[in-house]
Amino acid sequence: MRRVAVTGVGGVCGLGQDWASIRAGLRARRNAIRVMREWDRHTDMNTRLGGAMEGYRPPLHWTRKQLRSMGRVAQFAVHAAENALKDAGLLGDPVITSGAAGVSCGSSIGSTLDIADFAEFYLNDNSRALNANSYVRLMPHTTAANIGIFFGARGRIIPTSSACTSGSQGIGFAYESIKNGQQDIMICGGSEELSPAEAMAFDTLFATSRRNDAPQATPRPYDRDRDGLVIGEGAGILILEELEHAQRRGARIHAELVGFGTNSDGVHVTRPQEATMRGAMELALKDAALEPDAIGYVNGHGTATQQGDVAETRATSALFGARMPISSQKSYLGHTLGACGALEAWFSIEMMKDGWFAPTLNLDNIDPECGELDYVVGEGRALHVDCVMSNNFAFGGVNTSLIFRRWPGG
């Protein structure tokens, strides 16, 4: 089995489009949640909160032809991929078009505005808004396909569309493609655009925060007084590379990806199961040939929903004990759905390199129903750790766990 290095990182989110900006937001304990007044017309929806990227524009050097097939979700993904390839020193490198590089990326759905255009056709027989690129923008694999086309990647394309494990499955399946010898390089991660339709989906489940007059006070992962999640948007992309391939070209290595575990609950669409959550973590540890005490920090899924927070933390505590530091960056960005697994993996790597781990915002009173863990709050935590775990748990009972190991000098 081959070893897998992380040689490039990139993303776009409510806190910025580079790690320096995002780190500044984390250290300032500033969240990106705002009141979405443009949603006021949706009178049946209770929440008005979103983790929006204010004033996002795609890079100026992109051509109109390149943009035609990209809705907002694909723009985020391609932008993050461009940043990650540049970071890896592979932007424009012929290896990307050689067949040795593939793409593994996902989102919950495609661009919702294009879905609305098809709905207009279906409901009212009005096709004026549809064109040759409409389906390409709405299809569930729009992120993976657009990355592959934009950069000319001729290796395998793995589309992942598994709600909030889309990004982490994208990374995990890319890791397996390199580990097992099918590819040398993979562009991988996830993306999501903010949509009132996705907010409404959670609103119907009574799972959204309704603190519409206090956007900075929500979401509140693991907190006794949480009232639900907030939907966000963004994209995260990692460049994974076979270790010897990376070393031969003198690449900078951010970290080594050493473990991936994924499984399913097989019980209920929206009711998470502690046993299989723990099982996914154990699969990642087994894959990495590590014992639980090797992990120094867990990046929690932390959606700020009662069932999710309780099941996740009890599963984590049962495996690692009360000594494990844990926090959730969804308290800063909201729940970025298909992007969260990739963004949180990136943040985990950077925080491990920096030796500082961001706290969970708004965690004032730990829910006594949650598992016993070392919840990172306040000013954050200075820690030197050699391995971090990043976990995600999605609707449909899909569970993922990724383990990254510190790279000397990384």
Side-chain angles (χ1 to χ4, degrees):
M1 294 293 181
R2 307 194 305 171
R3 294 171 68 182
V4 180
V6 181
T7 57
V9 292
V12 295
C13 67
L15 290 181
Q17 299 180 12
D18 57 74
W19 177 241
S21 301
I22 294 166
R23 176 172 51 197
L26 295 174
R27 284 191 174 271
R29 292 181 291 169
R30 181 180 71 250
N31 80 8
I33 310 305
R34 73 172 176 87
V35 179
M36 306 291 293
R37 286 301 170 207
E38 54 268 50
W39 293 357
D40 283 347
R41 65 190 182 94
H42 302 296
T43 55
D44 287 341
M45 186 166 68
N46 294 294
T47 189
R48 292 291 184 273
L49 300 170
M53 284 200 286
E54 299 280 7
Y56 174 81
R57 295 289 184 273
L60 293 175
H61 63 271
W62 290 7
T63 67
R64 184 178 178 183
K65 181 179 179 181
Q66 288 172 319
L67 284 164
R68 277 194 310 224
S69 65
M70 288 191 272
R72 190 172 170 93
V73 65
Q75 289 176 19
F76 294 164
V78 174
H79 194 169
E82 188 170 65
N83 290 349
L85 285 166
K86 187 180 300 182
D87 182 65
L90 289 172
L91 189 62
D93 192 303
V95 72
I96 299 300
T97 59
S98 69
V103 179
S104 179
C105 186
S107 60
S108 296
I109 52 178
S111 283
T112 51
L113 290 178
D114 294 281
I115 295 171
D117 289 340
F118 275 94
E120 176 67 15
F121 163 72
Y122 181 76
L123 295 172
N124 299 315
D125 200 26
N126 178 2
S127 63
R128 286 191 295 273
L130 299 177
N131 59 52
N133 288 296
S134 295
Y135 176 71
V136 179
R137 293 191 295 264
L138 77 82
M139 63 190 188
H141 66 296
T142 188
T143 57
N146 273 289
I147 289 172
I149 292 166
F150 193 97
F151 300 105
R154 297 181 180 177
R156 57 177 53 189
I157 294 283
I158 304 174
T160 55
S161 184
S162 56
C164 32
T165 55
S166 299
S168 45
Q169 282 199 328
I171 294 169
F173 296 154
Y175 157 77
E176 291 178 337
S177 295
I178 296 173
K179 182 180 179 181
N180 295 325
Q182 284 88 10
Q183 302 281 185
D184 292 329
I185 297 167
M186 290 293 289
I187 306 166
C188 57
S191 180
E192 202 76 44
E193 65 181 53
L194 184 60
S195 162
E198 290 186 325
M200 185 62 187
F202 288 93
D203 211 62
T204 61
L205 297 169
F206 304 100
T208 52
S209 176
R210 302 178 185 185
R211 295 175 187 261
N212 298 321
D213 57 347
Q216 300 306 305
T218 193
R220 310 176 69 85
Y222 314 131
D223 191 83
R224 179 194 64 195
D225 301 314
R226 68 171 101 66
D227 74 326
L229 56 77
V230 176
I231 299 298
E233 65 181 350
I237 295 289
L238 302 185
I239 306 301
L240 302 186
E241 192 167 350
E242 192 272 323
L243 179 59
E244 292 184 3
H245 186 280
Q247 291 174 322
R248 282 196 301 272
R249 69 178 186 89
R252 177 183 58 179
I253 296 173
H254 290 281
E256 184 179 3
L257 177 48
V258 296
F260 170 57
T262 186
N263 64 9
S264 60
D265 292 342
V267 174
H268 194 274
V269 174
T270 59
R271 189 183 306 130
Q273 302 295 305
E274 293 175 37
T276 37
M277 286 174 154
R278 175 176 176 170
M281 297 182 232
E282 290 173 330
L283 286 170
L285 288 167
K286 181 179 179 181
D287 186 44
L290 293 173
E291 295 298 322
D293 61 6
I295 306 300
Y297 165 83
V298 169
N299 198 330
H301 192 54
T303 60
T305 58
Q306 197 271 341
Q307 284 192 348
D309 285 0
V310 170
E312 171 200 353
T313 55
R314 287 181 175 178
T316 307
S317 178
L319 181 57
F320 293 107
R323 61 98 188 169
M324 179 57 70
I326 186 172
S327 63
S328 168
Q329 287 91 64
K330 290 183 181 68
S331 58
Y332 298 82
L333 301 177
H335 193 340
T336 57
L337 301 175
C340 71
L343 285 169
E344 290 157 12
W346 174 29
F347 298 167
S348 297
I349 293 167
E350 297 286 10
M351 291 189 296
M352 178 170 62
K353 289 165 60 181
D354 288 349
W356 178 83
F357 292 85
T360 301
L361 292 184
N362 301 317
L363 180 47
D364 299 326
N365 298 287
I366 297 167
D367 184 347
E369 295 296 313
C370 285
E372 290 189 39
L373 293 162
D374 183 6
Y375 294 90
V376 180
V377 295
E379 298 294 330
R381 186 78 56 81
L383 290 170
H384 179 88
V385 303
D386 291 320
C387 294
V388 294
M389 174 180 280
S390 187
N391 295 329
N392 298 105
F393 310 105
F395 276 6
V398 186
N399 307 309
T400 60
S401 183
L402 296 163
I403 299 174
F404 298 93
R405 182 158 57 203
R406 174 185 296 278
W407 189 258

